[in-house]
Amino acid sequence: MADTETDELEVDDVSEDAETHIEYDIATYPSDLTLSVIHEMWKNDEIIVPSFQRNFVWNIKQSSNLIESFLVGLPVPQVFFYISEKNKNLVIDGQQRIKSVIFFLEGYFGEENLQGRRQVFRLFGLDEKSPYYNKRFVDLTESDQRKLKSAVLRAVNIRQLAPNDQSTSMYHIFERLNTGGTPLKPQEIRNCVFHGSLVETLHTLNDNTDWRKIIDKRMLDKYQKDVELILRIFAMAERGQKYEKPMKEFLSKQMELHRSAGDPVTKEFVKNFVGVCTIITKKLPSRPFHIRGPLNLAALDSVFATLIKYHAKIPHDIGDRLGALVKNKKYQEAIFFNTSDASTVEVRLNLAKQILID
């Protein structure tokens, strides 16, 4: 293991190319929703905060200021919903505002603690002269309760119309609109957008002891680059021969295809990933994909994907074969230059199969 441990994975990805242009037919329309309607939609599971989105992070003063803004008629920033194929409203931007409203109307701030208790939501941090100072919702006059419930929060609704076979626009919309203090990274966005059991499956695989040895990283990466690497291997093993750039879109499509993680392809990948990790740690030298220092993503995706795809044919001299592969000049070019080009991906996958398996 490396001597210096940080919570970020060091990768050799300097040659990953910029994104290419993708066009979508998107319908965007506003809705002026009263807070009472938002509360009702929330109770009916019509508003969804995707799993693995960052948790509620506002403190009670921030939430109190928002509630006071509604009560005194100050403008409040709009929220963004992505309308799913099941007509659910997935929150792209505005989780803190929406949950603050729900918490106040229900009387408790934040989620339950370990003891099953919740903090009573009193408007905190306001000017003591404010008529709303330290008030719960039930402490407001009936007039102010009606005023708050009838206050309007504008929602911008986004629905993808085309292409019909590729509903990954939400990723790009989320990427541009998420406005937290620390913008989400690519895999964090995928976890939000393509929420489903595949997210949990990838995180489980990321805890595999052999996998942590292979990438030479004890700590989980705080931006989930290590999780993204497993997704990349999965995509290359299944669809590498059909790869099209950009890489971000290729990986997002993989998340979309297998988001439920219950299909045979995903189950087979999980089994073979664990088995290949064991073989690599037993038969290959340590840090086999740290070709020139940092972890080389192109070497990792091509070798891992090949061994997973042809797991029943892995030869006993796999260590010697890997050495020959890494010394191959065409392979070196394919893992160091223009690594996200389709032609380059094809070259490195073909060479990996020829030298490691055939």
Side-chain angles (χ1 to χ4, degrees), residues 82-325:
Y82 185 93
I83 311 303
S84 73
E85 60 276 9
K86 295 182 179 180
N87 291 309
K88 297 283 189 176
N89 300 273
L90 278 66
V91 180
I92 297 176
D93 186 73
Q95 176 192 174
Q96 312 301 317
R97 275 157 278 160
I98 291 170
K99 283 193 172 180
S100 293
V101 169
I102 303 304
F103 290 155
F104 188 67
L105 292 178
E106 294 185 347
Y108 296 95
F109 182 76
E111 307 295 343
E112 290 184 353
N113 60 21
L114 295 177
Q115 289 74 41
R117 297 176 181 174
R118 296 179 70 186
Q119 179 182 358
V120 173
F121 193 165
R122 296 180 180 276
L123 295 179
F124 172 81
L126 308 185
D127 189 310
E128 292 187 15
K129 297 179 181 179
S130 168
Y132 312 116
Y133 174 75
N134 210 34
K135 295 285 184 67
R136 300 171 298 167
F137 175 73
V138 295
D139 296 329
L140 298 176
T141 65
E142 290 186 4
S143 175
D144 283 335
Q145 288 182 12
R146 287 192 294 271
K147 181 178 182 181
L148 182 63
K149 289 194 293 184
S150 62
V152 169
L153 178 61
R154 169 157 289 200
V156 176
N157 304 286
I158 302 167
R159 185 191 296 270
Q160 179 175 320
L161 303 179
N164 294 327
D165 63 342
Q166 186 170 310
S167 57
T168 58
S169 62
M170 187 178 170
Y171 174 91
H172 304 286
I173 295 165
F174 200 117
E175 185 177 37
R176 295 184 182 217
L177 292 182
N178 84 90
T179 56
T182 304
L184 299 175
K185 300 298 182 181
Q187 189 56 36
E188 294 178 295
I189 296 174
R190 290 189 193 97
N191 290 341
C192 297
V193 171
F194 306 110
H195 59 100
S197 55
L198 180 60
V199 176
E200 287 85 352
T201 297
L202 293 174
H203 280 76
T204 298
L205 293 178
N206 194 41
D207 282 328
N208 181 276
T209 302
D210 288 329
W211 168 249
R212 305 312 304 178
K213 290 179 182 177
I214 291 166
I215 63 175
D216 193 28
K217 193 74 179 169
R218 285 185 293 260
M219 294 177 64
L220 301 178
D221 183 80
K222 67 178 180 179
Y223 297 126
Q224 301 187 33
K225 292 178 186 174
D226 41 10
V227 175
E228 185 178 66
L229 291 184
I230 300 175
L231 176 64
R232 179 167 171 153
I233 292 167
F234 184 19
M236 285 296 180
E238 182 190 2
R239 301 185 297 118
Q241 298 301 331
K242 298 179 181 179
Y243 168 81
E244 292 182 1
K245 65 185 306 183
M247 183 66 74
K248 270 187 184 179
E249 185 70 11
F250 182 65
L251 300 185
S252 294
K253 185 66 176 178
Q254 191 71 11
M255 288 284 289
E256 180 193 21
L257 285 171
H258 300 287
R259 64 197 303 171
S260 69
D263 59 283
V265 173
T266 305
K267 291 180 179 178
E268 183 73 7
F269 169 75
V270 170
K271 181 180 71 174
N272 294 335
F273 177 85
V274 173
V276 167
C277 281
T278 300
I279 290 173
I280 289 176
T281 54
K282 287 183 177 179
K283 296 190 175 183
L284 299 184
S286 62
R287 307 176 81 241
F289 306 113
H290 292 70
I291 310 298
R292 58 182 183 188
L295 183 66
N296 185 285
L297 305 188
L300 181 140
D301 73 24
S302 55
V303 172
F304 241 108
T306 299
L307 296 183
I308 285 174
K309 190 172 183 178
Y310 302 100
H311 63 279
K313 299 181 179 180
I314 298 175
H316 68 279
D317 61 342
I318 187 64
D320 294 335
R321 288 176 178 245
L322 178 64
L325 177 66

